[in-house]
Amino acid sequence: MFPAFARHSRKHLVAPLGRSQSAPSRRLRRCTQYNASALRRHSSSSNPLKPNNPAAELSTFGSYSVILPPEPFVWGVSHIIPRSVPPGIPHPPYTQEGNECGRESPRGSQIKLGGREEARIREAAQLARSVRDFSGSMPGVTTHDIDEAVHDFIVARGAYPSPLRYQGFPKSCCTSINNVAAHGIPDSRPLEEGDIINIDITVYLNGYHGDTSQTYLVGNVNAQGRELVELTNEALEAGIRVCGPGRPFKAIGGAIQGCLKGKNVCISSALTGHGIGTAFHKPPWIIHHRNDEPGVMQPGDCFTIEPCIIQGTDQSVWIFPDGWTISTENCARSAQAEHMVLITDQGYDVLTR
């Protein structure tokens, strides 16, 4: 959930970077964290990763509904009323007044193995898995309905939905449909036959966060959409398989990129995985494409792997006026899948299976 925080800064745009932004957009941007310089590279008209013949490439993506921001534009999310969580349920620190930007402790992500810390993060991860599976069992509804059901499911189990009020996010989960790459805000649009939807779940239970997501097929999805989701899950598994104590973090990105070689898809380099534990997002930052980042995995490291895979060769993205919803610039579909990985003395455990 919320990939790329702290290393890459969340963009607040209704146009590709470099165009004018309103005062509300600039104010909202102060509480964000995506790498703006990286996103300029991805959104520039001179982007070398853009195809030579975009129209021809788009024609290969299949038919699906494109998600666009409603007009007239409404800046930000202050008009959306967040759901309430009973005060008896522990709230994460970023929900406290005066911490609107969602600042968290800079502590590392290592979990003390064999004790209460490990037991608690496993419990949070398993609850997140249960919520994820529950959320994917509700076809033919609106994403608002999914958010409501997810919220009630989490709260009924004594946990807090981590996205709620994180840096001002107004909902309890993210629902990203078709061309929306990440951070989609649940709304009143009914799911349609042929949609693909990523439902991103994070829970806060007994002081620890559990984070996972999956992209689901709605009804009869065309072959291009099914292939995209299948490749995304294969990429996630490829990244997981190279984990273990003493292994370099950069091996994850190398494995994912190798898995997708020769396929008509690209990896979003604007979104990364992250360490997780008592804080929602913290180091290590997991890059999903080939890279030369330093660092090796150690027992107790706990992090997410969550590749966002986009149809075609153009990974350019932009942000809706709400300041959160990330869409592909050319409206190609994207898919994402996410697991939490804990490095053990002997290898790794996937906590959200």
Side-chain angles (χ1 to χ4, degrees):
M1 163 70 194
F2 295 139
F5 276 79
R7 182 179 181 86
H8 298 279
S9 60
R10 177 163 53 86
K11 310 151 295 186
H12 267 283
L13 310 172
V14 290
L17 277 159
R19 300 184 186 177
S20 61
Q21 301 175 50
S22 70
S25 173
R26 290 193 295 271
R27 286 197 298 271
L28 287 167
R29 195 174 180 183
R30 293 173 188 158
C31 290
T32 69
Q33 298 164 335
Y34 277 112
N35 186 337
S37 62
L39 292 165
R40 287 190 188 95
R41 293 196 298 272
H42 303 154
S43 297
S44 168
S45 60
S46 61
N47 186 349
L49 297 179
K50 289 191 175 184
N52 292 327
N53 190 338
E57 185 173 69
L58 286 170
S59 69
T60 68
F61 295 165
S63 177
Y64 53 92
S65 295
V66 171
I67 307 301
L68 295 172
E71 296 186 34
F73 293 156
V74 178
W75 288 90
V77 293
S78 61
H79 60 289
I80 302 175
I81 300 175
R83 304 184 192 280
S84 62
V85 177
I89 293 177
H91 291 41
Y94 52 77
T95 64
Q96 297 172 5
E97 187 175 355
N99 195 22
E100 293 82 1
C101 285
R103 296 186 182 90
E104 298 181 286
S105 167
R107 290 166 49 194
S109 63
Q110 287 190 342
I111 301 294
K112 186 175 181 180
L113 299 178
R116 188 176 71 168
E117 289 185 24
E118 181 180 354
R120 287 192 168 181
I121 199 164
R122 286 180 179 274
E123 290 170 359
Q126 282 299 293
L127 176 57
R129 178 195 61 79
S130 296
V131 181
R132 180 198 67 212
D133 294 347
F134 167 72
S135 72
S137 65
M138 296 182 289
V141 298
T142 69
T143 52
H144 173 89
D145 294 332
I146 293 174
D147 181 74
E148 181 178 33
V150 161
H151 180 93
D152 292 345
F153 189 101
I154 294 170
V155 169
R157 287 153 181 79
Y160 183 97
S162 303
L164 188 64
R165 299 182 185 275
Y166 183 84
Q167 295 199 358
F169 192 78
K171 294 290 187 175
S172 296
C173 66
C174 292
T175 53
S176 302
I177 300 171
N178 296 341
N179 55 292
V180 175
H183 304 175
I185 299 175
D187 59 20
S188 59
R189 177 192 182 274
L191 294 178
E192 298 178 0
E193 182 85 5
D195 282 344
I196 63 172
I197 176 174
N198 177 268
I199 305 178
D200 200 333
I201 301 294
T202 315
V203 303
Y204 183 70
L205 177 68
N206 295 325
Y208 287 81
H209 295 273
D211 191 2
T212 184
S213 85
Q214 182 54 258
T215 299
Y216 297 100
L217 308 178
V218 181
N220 185 23
V221 175
N222 57 31
Q224 297 94 326
R226 294 196 305 272
E227 181 185 30
L228 175 65
V229 174
E230 290 169 4
L231 288 173
T232 300
N233 283 296
E234 290 172 11
L236 172 59
E237 294 301 324
I240 290 172
R241 285 194 295 269
V242 298
C243 291
R247 298 301 306 275
F249 284 109
K250 67 182 182 180
I252 296 172
I256 290 172
Q257 189 158 340
C259 169
L260 299 175
K261 185 177 180 180
K263 307 296 184 181
N264 186 32
V265 296
C266 59
I267 304 164
S268 172
S269 56
L271 302 168
T272 74
H274 53 88
I276 189 169
T278 55
F280 195 167
H281 302 94
K282 56 186 176 181
W285 310 110
I286 306 303
I287 299 176
H288 300 115
H289 56 87
R290 192 166 287 117
N291 65 90
D292 292 317
E293 290 293 309
V296 297
M297 306 173 207
Q298 301 293 339
D301 279 332
C302 189
F303 50 86
T304 68
I305 303 177
E306 44 187 305
C308 177
I309 310 303
I310 299 171
Q311 290 180 306
T313 57
D314 185 357
Q315 59 170 288
S316 306
V317 292
W318 67 293
I319 295 293
F320 284 9
D322 60 39
W324 282 98
T325 305
I326 305 175
S327 170
T328 56
E329 189 176 299
N330 65 357
C331 294
R333 280 178 292 189
S334 70
Q336 191 171 32
E338 174 184 15
H339 274 310
M340 283 173 62
V341 176
L342 176 66
I343 303 302
T344 65
D345 292 324
Q346 293 77 33
Y348 66 85
D349 280 347
V350 181
L351 302 187
T352 43
R353 287 237 196 259

